[in-house]
Amino acid sequence: MHRNRRLAKRRTTPSPAAIAIELERVWAFGADAQSFKCPPKDGQYEDPLQCDKFYECNDGRATERLCPDGLVFDPTIRKINKCDQPFNVDCGDRVELQPPRGNNLCPRRNGFFAHPDPAVCNVFYNCIEGEATEITCTAGLHFDEYTGTCVWPNDAGRQGCNPGANKKLKDGFTCPKEQKTDESGQAVAHPKYAHPTDCQRFYVCLNGVEPRDLGCQVGEVYNEETERCDAPENMAVAYRGVLAALLLLAIPAAIVDAQFKCPKNRGQFEDPVQCDKYYVCDEGEATEKLCPDGLVFDPTIKLINKCDQPFNVDCGDRFELQPAQGTSDYCPRKNGFFSHPDPSICNVFYSCINGEELEMSCTGGLHFDEKSGTCVWPDVAAREGCGSNANKKLNDGFQCPKETRYDKNGQVITHPNYPHPTDCSRFYYCLNGIEPRLGQCDAKMVYNEDLQRCDDPDNVPECKRIHLALPFLLAAALVCSAAEEPEDYFEFTCPKPDGQFEDPYQCDKYYECDDGRVSEKLCPDGLVFNPASKLVNKCDQVFNVECHDRKELQPPKPIGVCPRQNGFFPHPDPSICNIFYNCVNGRELEMTCVAGLHFNQPTGTCVWPDMANRQGCGSNANKKLNDGFQCPKDATKMDKNGQIVTHPNYPHPDDCQRFYICLNGIEPRQGTCEEGMVYNEDLQRCDDPENVPGCEDWYNGPEADQAA
């Protein structure tokens, strides 16, 4: 149908910028993908210019993708989803980004952002798909958008943040207005001042304006000359302090160590002495930084944020640390994994993040090991005083003997076993020698005391005729049912004395070997065992594990919309392809894909509909817009290379500024170019009016003047 667009009446209602941005994000795919040349190997590859754009190559064909707004593409990580926070990714020369699609609190839909009021520097927002969660920094710290963390004000370098200026402590102390300088004449960022009557106490002025009253550790006094806590004998003034149980809070050095020389013009470099201190070099000039309290600097990792848990970092000779800023008995430092403060409670520990603790418990029989940050067997943790279960009695009266048990080589048996007095298929084992547990052999097996493990009844004379004895009716039922099982019954043998090993047939079953003794285990329903994982807990999502020939699984335990207790599952209605559920222990969380994407169960992510290839997702097929537009049914649109256009565009019949887009070729949407632009059908995008015949005067004609 021919149309005279020059004479078409221009609509005066301007389109929201968000619609134009969203549509540009969708229909811009195509031109760049055609020019991108895929490497020989299938995979995901970064765009050379735009940090949040990447290409998915399959059989040499490139499909252009965008990370969710606010995230950027990291080609170095091995996860399926390679989109991450900007402060974790080195974009290099990939400086371009997609247009933002944010709101007042979230300049982009995802990320960590400063408070919109520049005077409020201690509050920031964690944005996830445009939903903002307000977070407040610990007192005295400011949010730094570059690292996505709270840091000391001089590190953040933000202007107009003086909430503590002129503040007065209860004893009347206020920070002097005169700026304190060091021996080199440099301003001291956090100056300290001696207490007038108490040698153990002193004041510190955060950022020079906010006063704090602090105390030295017991047995130390404040040395005004060195500006740190010291032994009393080193003081010129007699020790008059009152010993109080106060902890010294961390006061990071404000002045860059004059002796540190940048090895390169740019980069982050460790301090040679202090493991949580590092230097950021820019054009050869060094700025001293501190990791958040409890974390240490790892110079070997390639992330922008190189502060990590101590058990992941080899500090070498960098023994020193900043003073602890613990917030409670549970968090001796603000970040990290810490033991329960009661030394007799060895199976409970705390994960601390910015001083907020989360209590966690080890699996039965394990103790928390602070060096590795994980739960391990008690003999590995080697903690003292973990005797809360000593002398414990089971319901049948069994109690672990106090005598230490030895093996044939004279070595102490860490978890000794003992036979059941009346049931050949059962036995007792004493965790760490003190905590009694009741064990059960597999069907057709009995406990062999000589071997300290379950064995064939033929090898245990006193248990050969167990199924005939009246006291053992339960065991008899087990043996009889086992006799009807097929002859391919499998008995696992430990390949190494200790470790976790996969079952050869069932992907969510594994075996835990301890001193050659095997225990059969099952992953939580919905998860499978990953033998390649280096974690203590090797159960992971199905899409992260190669099961290969281990095709069997435990029977499912469905609850509601969760076919299994754990995992990511599609909506039970097959026509609803953009909604899925994250199930954790049978509790579901409903999640919605970004507009136009479908949930793909094999990868556990939202992907383009042609990649998900799900059937019956046509709830919007044949849909009609209010003006009557409908996506063509039998007119598959092709690009210049003969490839199908996933989301084809169509021009509006009488409005140069507007156009239609068919998501997945079936769901119609109406789009509008930004003010001053018109739709170019040849380029399939918005363009300058002079480049579109028939629309050159769209904004200059009589209708436009009248509308104005």
Side-chain angles (χ1 to χ4, degrees):
M1 178 182 67
H2 178 73
R3 56 202 172 116
N4 188 342
R5 300 179 70 180
R6 185 188 300 274
L7 299 178
K9 186 176 179 180
R10 174 180 178 267
R11 295 182 183 266
T12 59
T13 304
S15 62
I19 296 179
I21 292 170
E22 171 68 17
L23 292 164
E24 182 180 351
R25 187 177 78 87
V26 177
W27 59 248
F29 293 172
D32 287 345
Q34 293 169 20
S35 62
F36 182 80
K37 301 300 181 187
C38 286
K41 187 177 179 182
D42 286 353
Q44 296 176 347
Y45 300 94
E46 72 271 26
D47 183 85
L49 301 177
Q50 186 169 328
C51 198
D52 55 4
K53 183 192 290 185
F54 62 100
Y55 301 92
E56 205 157 68
C57 289
N58 187 16
D59 291 333
R61 189 177 71 180
T63 305
E64 183 180 302
R65 307 288 187 202
L66 276 182
C67 289
D69 179 40
L71 305 183
V72 293
F73 183 75
D74 185 358
T76 66
I77 60 178
R78 296 183 179 180
K79 297 179 181 177
I80 292 175
N81 182 3
K82 299 179 186 294
C83 294
D84 202 351
Q85 298 289 345
F87 49 77
N88 288 331
V89 182
D90 182 7
C91 283
D93 295 329
R94 300 181 292 141
V95 294
E96 296 180 13
L97 293 172
Q98 62 183 293
R101 299 184 293 123
N103 52 47
N104 182 40
L105 299 178
C106 299
R108 289 187 178 271
R109 290 181 63 82
N110 299 275
F112 295 83
F113 302 102
H115 193 284
D117 182 350
V120 183
C121 298
N122 64 327
V123 175
F124 65 101
Y125 295 91
N126 178 13
C127 294
I128 301 175
E129 289 303 320
E131 293 292 326
T133 301
E134 184 176 293
I135 302 174
T136 303
C137 294
T138 303
L141 300 188
H142 287 174
F143 175 66
D144 176 29
E145 210 163 290
Y146 176 75
T147 61
T149 58
C150 295
V151 299
W152 290 107
N154 63 308
D155 291 335
R158 297 175 60 179
Q159 302 300 317
C161 307
N162 287 325
N166 304 318
K167 184 179 176 182
K168 193 181 277 192
L169 296 181
K170 291 181 179 179
D171 63 3
F173 177 81
T174 58
C175 293
K177 294 183 179 179
E178 299 77 21
Q179 198 172 49
K180 198 170 186 178
T181 57
D182 61 15
E183 296 175 354
S184 306
Q186 301 291 323
V188 178
H190 311 292
K192 300 174 191 173
Y193 301 91
H195 194 280
T197 59
D198 191 334
C199 284
Q200 192 187 5
R201 293 166 63 198
F202 63 96
Y203 304 104
V204 61
C205 291
L206 297 176
N207 212 31
V209 296
E210 186 174 348
R212 294 289 178 89
D213 185 3
L214 304 180
C216 294
Q217 297 183 60
V218 174
E220 293 186 339
V221 295
Y222 180 69
N223 187 330
E224 193 169 4
E225 292 182 4
T226 61
E227 292 206 321
R228 60 183 178 86
C229 293
D230 202 350
E233 56 266 26
N234 296 332
M235 299 290 293
V237 182
Y239 175 40
R240 316 184 302 263
V242 178
L243 302 181
L246 296 171
L247 293 175
L248 178 62
L249 299 181
I251 309 299
I255 309 304
V256 177
D257 189 344
Q259 298 186 2
F260 184 81
K261 304 296 181 186
C262 289
K264 296 180 181 178
N265 279 343
R266 292 180 182 275
Q268 298 177 4
F269 305 96
E270 71 271 26
D271 183 85
V273 178
Q274 187 170 328
C275 198
D276 54 4
K277 183 192 290 185
Y278 63 100
Y279 301 90
V280 174
C281 291
D282 185 19
E283 299 297 338
E285 292 188 9
T287 304
E288 183 180 299
K289 303 283 186 181
L290 275 181
C291 289
D293 179 44
L295 306 183
V296 293
F297 184 77
D298 185 356
T300 65
I301 59 177
K302 296 181 180 180
L303 300 176
I304 292 177
N305 182 3
K306 300 180 185 292
C307 294
D308 201 353
Q309 297 290 346
F311 48 78
N312 289 332
V313 183
D314 181 8
C315 284
D317 296 329
R318 299 181 291 144
F319 298 117
E320 295 184 12
L321 294 172
Q322 61 183 294
Q325 305 173 47
T327 54
S328 66
D329 291 340
Y330 304 112
C331 296
R333 288 190 177 269
K334 296 186 70 168
N335 298 276
F337 295 84
F338 303 101
S339 305
H340 194 285
D342 182 344
S344 69
I345 302 176
C346 298
N347 66 324
V348 175
F349 64 101
Y350 295 89
S351 170
C352 296
I353 302 174
N354 289 332
E356 295 289 330
E357 79 272 3
L358 173 65
E359 184 177 291
M360 308 179 78
S361 296
C362 294
T363 304
L366 300 188
H367 287 175
F368 175 67
D369 176 34
E370 209 162 291
K371 291 180 182 178
S372 63
T374 58
C375 296
V376 298
W377 288 109
D379 58 323
V380 178
R383 294 176 59 180
E384 302 294 332
C386 305
S388 57
N389 287 307
N391 305 317
K392 182 179 175 182
K393 257 186 200 180
L394 296 182
N395 292 336
D396 63 3
F398 177 80
Q399 194 173 14
C400 291
K402 294 183 179 179
E403 298 77 20
T404 302
R405 197 161 190 181
Y406 298 91
D407 62 16
K408 296 177 181 178
N409 299 320
Q411 301 293 322
V412 175
I413 299 176
T414 309
H415 313 292
N417 295 345
Y418 300 90
H420 193 280
T422 60
D423 190 336
C424 282
S425 67
R426 290 170 143 189
F427 61 96
Y428 303 104
Y429 58 101
C430 293
L431 294 175
N432 211 30
I434 59 171
E435 185 176 347
R437 294 287 177 89
L438 181 62
Q440 174 78 51
C441 292
D442 289 338
K444 296 176 64 176
M445 305 287 280
V446 296
Y447 181 69
N448 186 328
E449 189 174 5
D450 293 335
L451 300 178
Q452 287 272 299
R453 61 179 175 82
C454 294
D455 197 3
D456 190 281
D458 292 338
N459 299 328
V460 186
E462 61 270 29
C463 293
K464 277 186 179 181
R465 298 179 61 80
I466 181 173
H467 60 286
L468 299 179
L470 289 177
F472 310 128
L473 289 177
L474 176 60
L478 290 171
V479 171
C480 291
S481 62
E484 298 174 1
E485 293 179 356
E487 291 301 318
D488 60 349
Y489 179 77
F490 171 74
E491 179 180 356
F492 183 83
T493 303
C494 292
K496 294 180 181 178
D498 298 287
Q500 295 176 347
F501 306 95
E502 72 269 29
D503 183 87
Y505 307 108
Q506 187 169 328
C507 199
D508 54 4
K509 183 192 290 187
Y510 64 100
Y511 301 91
E512 204 161 70
C513 293
D514 181 38
D515 289 334
R517 187 184 68 209
V518 62
S519 300
E520 183 180 301
K521 305 285 185 182
L522 275 181
C523 289
D525 179 41
L527 306 183
V528 293
F529 183 75
N530 185 3
S533 173
K534 295 182 179 179
L535 300 176
V536 173
N537 181 4
K538 299 180 187 296
C539 294
D540 201 350
Q541 297 289 345
V542 176
F543 47 79
N544 288 331
V545 182
E546 288 284 355
C547 285
H548 297 297
D549 294 330
R550 299 181 294 140
K551 302 185 187 302
E552 297 178 14
L553 293 172
Q554 63 184 290
K557 302 169 186 169
I559 297 181
V561 295
C562 298
R564 287 188 178 269
Q565 299 251 327
N566 299 273
F568 294 81
F569 303 102
H571 194 283
D573 183 346
S575 70
I576 303 176
C577 298
N578 64 326
I579 293 178
F580 64 101
Y581 295 92
N582 177 14
C583 296
V584 180
N585 292 330
R587 299 185 64 180
E588 80 276 2
L589 173 65
E590 185 177 291
M591 307 181 78
T592 302
C593 295
V594 176
L597 301 189
H598 287 175
F599 174 67
N600 183 36
Q601 195 166 349
T603 61
T605 58
C606 295
V607 299
W608 291 108
D610 57 328
M611 293 177 62
N613 197 27
R614 295 176 59 181
Q615 303 300 316
C617 304
S619 56
N620 289 308
N622 305 318
K623 182 179 175 183
K624 220 180 245 192
L625 296 183
N626 292 335
D627 63 3
F629 176 81
Q630 195 173 15
C631 293
K633 291 183 182 179
D634 52 359
T636 303
K637 206 162 187 179
M638 316 288 274
D639 61 19
K640 295 178 180 178
N641 298 321
Q643 301 293 325
I644 295 175
V645 178
T646 308
H647 311 290
N649 297 345
Y650 300 91
H652 194 279
D654 55 17
D655 191 333
C656 283
Q657 193 181 1
R658 294 164 67 195
F659 61 97
Y660 303 102
I661 181 172
C662 291
L663 295 177
N664 206 32
I666 59 171
E667 184 177 350
R669 297 281 180 90
Q670 187 174 93
T672 307
C673 294
E674 293 181 1
E675 194 72 18
M677 304 285 280
V678 297
Y679 180 69
N680 187 327
E681 189 173 3
D682 293 332
L683 299 180
Q684 290 272 296
R685 61 181 176 82
C686 295
D687 198 0
D688 291 323
E690 57 265 26
N691 298 330
V692 183
C695 293
E696 301 93 336
D697 299 323
W698 182 250
Y699 292 96
N700 301 325
E703 294 84 359
D705 295 336
Q706 291 170 11

